[in-house]
Structures are given as structure tokens and as C-alpha cells.
């Protein structure tokens, strides 16, 4: 997806104002903060759950980004694959951010890209303000925490070939 976006930016002649960064948040966030200085990120795509290896859960990445202060007021955050690994805690984070007046978000049902008969959710969030320093979502309901743990366990087993199609 990033190469398609980069090509569109080049074709539109906007490569001097739009920069696309690809990588794990832990690997690229410090460099982005240093490069931008007082500028902020206006659009953020959190494309997790695509089987890219050892990526951090999406809710942890978003928390790192919020803590860094690099997200602009009125930034658009898009997260496809909201029914993937770690996403239940991300959705809780979005609910809590909305309750705190930090953002408004929508969920859109879409077919999963690899299996058209499987549903997935895309989250779009418009941030109305920067998260206050140290803001974290409240603890999720225990049932949601258990669901997240079960999903992580299933994902771990599937990635090691312990479960899956016959």
C-alpha cells in the first residue's frame, strides 16, 4: 500500500510536501520527531495485522505516537484491519479517546482483503486536539482484556503452524 501511495504522491507532484514513512513505530518515530521539529503529522495510517512479522500491537503504537506529541490537531488517523491481532484494545483506546473529547471516530465494515467472505473493520478518526501529556485510556472491561488475550493466543498458535486449515 505504501508504494502505491508514494507513486500517487509522485504523480500528483506533491512529493515536496507529502512524505511517506514505512516501518515500525519504534524504528521510525524518533527520526520523524527530529525531522519535523515543530511541525506535526497530519495523516497517519496504522496498517497492522498484515502478517509482516514482529510488529507491535496497534494500540501500543498509537499510544507511542500520542505520547510523542507528533500528531497534529485535526489529524486523520486510519487503521484498517480492526478485527486483527490487538485491535480490540485499539478500539477500546479509540472509545476512551472519544469519551475524553480527543477524537471522533467511525468504523466501516469492509471485506477482508485476503478473504472476501470475511468481514473486517476500518477505523477512521479525526483528532480534535492533542492528547494531554501522559493521557492513557482507562482499563478495558475484563471481558475485553480476556478477548484480546485469546486473540493473541490464537494468532501466536497460527503463526507457528499449530492451528490452521487442514
Amino acid at each position: 500500500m505504501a508504494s502505491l501511495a508514494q507513486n500517487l504522491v509522485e504523480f500528483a507532484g506533491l512529493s515536496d510536501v507529502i512524505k511517506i514513512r514505512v516501518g515500525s513505530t519504534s524504528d521510525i518515530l524518533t527520526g520523524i520527531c527530529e525531522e519535523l521539529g515543530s511541525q506535526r503529522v497530519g495523516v497517519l495510517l496504522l496498517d497492522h495485522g498484515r502478517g509482516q512479522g514482529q510488529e507491535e500491537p496497534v494500540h501500543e503504537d498509537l499510544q507511542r505516537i500520542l505520547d510523542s506529541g507528533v500528531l497534529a490537531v485535526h489529524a486523520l488517523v486510519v487503521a484498517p484491519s480492526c478485527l486483527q491481532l490487538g485491535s480490540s484494545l485499539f478500539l477500546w483506546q479509540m472509545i476512551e479517546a472519544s469519551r475524553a473529547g480527543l477524537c471522533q471516530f467511525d468504523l466501516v465494515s469492509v471485506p477482508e482483503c485476503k478473504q472476501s467472505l470475511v468481514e473486517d473493520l476500518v477505523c477512521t478518526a479525526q483528532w480534535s486536539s492533542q492528547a494531554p501529556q501522559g493521557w492513557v485510556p482507562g482499563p478495558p472491561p475484563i471481558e475485553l482484556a480476556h478477548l484480546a488475550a485469546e486473540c493473541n493466543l490464537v494468532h501466536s498458535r497460527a503463526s507457528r503452524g499449530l492451528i490452521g486449515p487442514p
Side-chain angles (χ1 to χ4, degrees):
M1 186 183 289
S3 62
L4 174 64
Q6 187 64 50
N7 286 331
L8 289 171
V9 168
E10 291 285 333
F11 182 73
L14 297 172
S15 58
D16 57 327
V17 292
I18 297 175
K19 304 295 182 207
I20 296 174
R21 301 291 184 263
V22 178
S24 70
T25 303
S26 57
D27 289 341
I28 65 173
L29 185 59
T30 301
I32 290 172
C33 291
E34 290 172 0
E35 182 181 328
L36 289 176
S38 62
Q39 296 178 357
R40 298 290 172 250
V41 172
V43 178
L44 176 66
L45 173 65
L46 294 167
D47 193 14
H48 289 63
R50 296 287 182 211
Q52 311 274 318
Q54 301 296 322
E55 55 198 22
E56 294 295 320
V58 65
H59 69 282
E60 291 179 12
D61 275 353
L62 180 59
Q63 193 63 51
R64 277 189 203 91
I65 291 163
L66 293 175
D67 291 345
S68 75
V70 75
L71 200 60
V73 174
H74 305 297
L76 175 65
V77 175
V78 179
S81 306
C82 284
L83 292 181
Q84 302 290 331
L85 175 66
S87 296
S88 53
L89 295 178
F90 169 74
L91 294 174
W92 175 254
Q93 185 179 38
M94 297 308 298
I95 290 168
E96 288 287 281
S98 179
R99 286 180 181 164
L102 300 175
C103 73
Q104 294 182 347
F105 75 98
D106 291 307
L107 295 172
V108 179
S109 174
V110 297
E112 209 280 330
C113 74
K114 296 176 187 167
Q115 302 174 27
S116 61
L117 297 178
V118 176
E119 179 185 32
D120 203 347
L121 294 175
V122 173
C123 176
T124 60
Q126 183 78 47
W127 288 81
S128 53
S129 65
Q130 281 194 331
Q133 189 69 21
W135 179 86
V136 293
I142 193 70
E143 298 86 0
L144 185 62
H146 288 158
L147 174 64
E150 277 296 312
C151 290
N152 291 347
L153 182 59
V154 168
H155 182 271
S156 173
R157 289 177 177 164
S159 67
R160 293 183 291 164
L162 300 175
I163 58 173

